[in-house]
Amino acid sequence: MIRTNSHRLGLGVLLAGLLLAAPAIAQVLDGAPMPVEGSAEQVEESLDTMAPGRAEESAAEGAIAEQIEEGGAISAGVSPSEAKKVEEIIVSARRRAELLEETPISVTVLSDEMLKDTGTTQLNEIQNLVPNLTIFRTGSGQTISIVTRGVGNFPFVYYDQGTPLYVDGVVLSRNAGSVLDIVDMAQVEVLRGPQGTLFGKNSVGGAVSITTVKPQPELNAYASVRAGSYNTFDSRAMLNLPVIEDRLFMRFNFASFQRDGYFTNTLNGDKLSDRNSQNFMVATRWLPTDDLTVDMTGSYSVSHTKGLGPQCKIIEPAFSDQTRIVYSPELTEQYRRRCKESGRFHGESDVARLNSVQSYGVWGTASYEFGEVGYLDDLGMKLTGAWRQQVVGGRDDLDGTAQPVALLSTAGGAGSEFNGSPNWQNQLQSELQVNGSAWDGKINFVGGAFLFWEKARTDNGFRFFADAEGGLVPRATVLSASLSNNFVNTYNNDWALFGQATADFTDWMSLTAGVRYTAETKRLSRLLLSPFNPPIGSPLVTVDFDGKQDTDAWTPMASLAFTVPQDWLGDAPVEHVMTYFTYSRGFRGGGFNGGARTENPESIRPFKPEFIDSFEVGAKSISFDGRLSFNLALFYSDRQDQQVPQIITFEDPETGLNQTDVLTRNAADSKSKGVEIEFLTQPIDDLRIDGSMGFLNAVFGGFSGAQNARTGQPINRDGQQFTFVPRWQTHLGVQYSIEVPDVGPTWLNGYLTPRVDWTWQSQTQYWVPELPELLEPNRNIVNVRIAYDFNDNRSQVAFWGTNMTDHEYFQETVAIPRTIGVVTRYWAQPRTMGVEISHRF
């Protein structure tokens, strides 16, 4: 049932009235996807390299595209689905503008229109559209881990990402606040395979690169409201403002996303798994000369929620046999009963849960085009700089019951010295990039230097078998209990030199080669304060550790691409075929286990860097007069010293008790192989079908020191499939535009476009196979959207629905079986429906 508060409904009515008055508003842009950064000359050069027949077709389609931009799709006699056919997708995967179908990299491109059509409002939702991409969230709901082809990370501040996130070329090195709301994104590129040559900060598995819309020379604006189930109410507004004609432009964005929680804490009535965020972004583009472009962007976002709702699940027999801190028999039975009574969307929790994330910063680029310099045909230089900061606070009930068992807090505040305090993270980076071409465009190159500095401070308060006010449970009921504060300070700095060049030996063959040298220093200090009971009044158990690690690495790549000559294709209905072979080496720096809770040698031992050698063969084609594009990639990866977080149990020499930690260790090696297929077709006018398929077979080779998560005994994981990722992922989207003429005033004529998206993936094992409670069966998700575009494609009313079959699946899990004998599961959002109204001025 769709519910809205009166003030929200009033705002929706106001916007609807504004929408109906829209015909009187000046001519505006139609909202076709904005291309990524890259000069018109660069795009033209890319088009010139296409087969002659395809280039002529692109030129003709370009004329239609210009007419669409000037007067809207409908005034040009083209439906929304047909308008998408004429687009050539431009990517910057190799740090220069080029056509997607001519880029020898496995990359998925999601335009702003694609994100809108599929109802994607948060970055983590793109995993439904991209093969071999998995994004899972933490219990806070505001931190994600991105996994590409099985390469990712856990969201720890001391652990480098395997698939980093970039915004306008700036790396977001930390996961906190990385559940980005979709606000004014021009497009999202998902690059699979190591990207260590051109992308900084150890892109060992791939990269997710976001390009925001840059300020434009025309005055225009955009507004939308979205209302739906669980009191969903989202609003967005954008104003593009020319300040000085042809020289200075500004763009202002505001977005708010709100939804009540769908998980009920039956103990106090709180609604968990909610959404509440606000986003502000201001961008400027300054053109002091015809050759110099200066872009500056500032953003501020804040999210304040109650976190995800946990379902508790008892682990047998670990709870009764292996737990190191045990309740009395009476409380043990009570704990078990309350755990078993928790459900998918309800449960008792004794913790006032919360999660707060503030993320803000500024970044910018200055680009100068030198033009022809000596033997160089086109020389350019770009300087990028960024400063970002995140403040993260929260309170989480790790056991998910009304019993005072395990609480993790970074909320701060009065009541206990073990409340922790909000975590703080700060990054500063700069990159100098030089690019150009020579020999009449037969050689294109890019090179430069990258610098990165980072500081992070965490203060995690942990209450183990302690009540919500910070006191210990009476000794009569518990064998022992503890409170602790874990203070961790992290200091990282990196620098790198990189270069890559592409040589076109003939019209049909090109060779790309590049290399990057990276040097990094990581330092981590940790102080753990923990009074234990019994004995009462025992002194603080102090862990005081300071470690430093220096590493460096060379990461080369090479790619050979073949474009089939046009005369070879003959009368075949194929306009363009490119095949390629790519080798790339990835590197991720080592580090220290900042979350460890003892000075046991296992806890203080650093983990080493990991390396990956990736081999990829692919093909990209365009056929049937531009109505079908088809991309195929086959890959094989060999990882050495793979970093794997593991649940490890060992005896604490200070207390004689078993201590359980999640420690990152280096597995010996692993192998991955798989396939990715993507296609986009328009078999008839107004019908558009897009889809993808990913297969991943990723298994461990040697794996020293692994332990069974239930028993703590040694276990052999050789041949075991990677956890957290499925073997199979598929997506299919179908939309059809139906012309609706003569419904009244001319401005009401338009197109009705229903769309259905179906996503399926095979079963996923979270954590380890010996925890079948965390095995998620096959996942089936169906989303729908029915949109009506009118008023020359400037106005739209849409009905949307997500998870229409109400499929049950996890979005996160936590495993602590040998400490408190439970795992917690966090279920994804059930079926949700609503309406959206938008207008471009």
Side-chain angles (χ1 to χ4, degrees), residues 1 53 63 75 94 142 208 217 253 312 439 490 591 613 643 652 665 671 834:
M1 179 178 179
S75 66
R94 297 197 293 178
Q142 296 303 312
V208 176
N253 271 278
C312 176
W439 289 358
T490 303
D613 291 294
Q643 298 169 3
D652 186 340
R665 284 179 164 176
K671 314 290 183 184

Side-chain angles (χ1 to χ4, degrees), residues 463-481:
R463 307 179 190 173
F464 199 73
F465 282 80
D467 65 28
E469 298 301 323
L472 299 178
V473 175
R475 289 178 60 188
T477 60
V478 181
L479 296 181
S480 65

Side-chain angles (χ1 to χ4, degrees), residues 85 91 210 348 394 408 580 668 808:
K85 171 178 173 284
V91 300
I210 296 171
E348 294 183 334
L408 176 65
Y580 65 90
E808 301 178 4

Side-chain angles (χ1 to χ4, degrees), residues 412-445:
S416 170
E417 59 184 305
F418 297 99
N419 270 327
S421 61
N423 296 335
W424 170 87
Q425 303 166 14
N426 178 282
Q427 303 91 34
L428 182 67
Q429 61 185 289
S430 180
E431 182 176 90
L432 176 65
Q433 182 186 126
V434 179
N435 58 71
S437 62
W439 289 358
D440 296 325
K442 293 185 180 298
I443 292 181
N444 291 274
F445 65 88

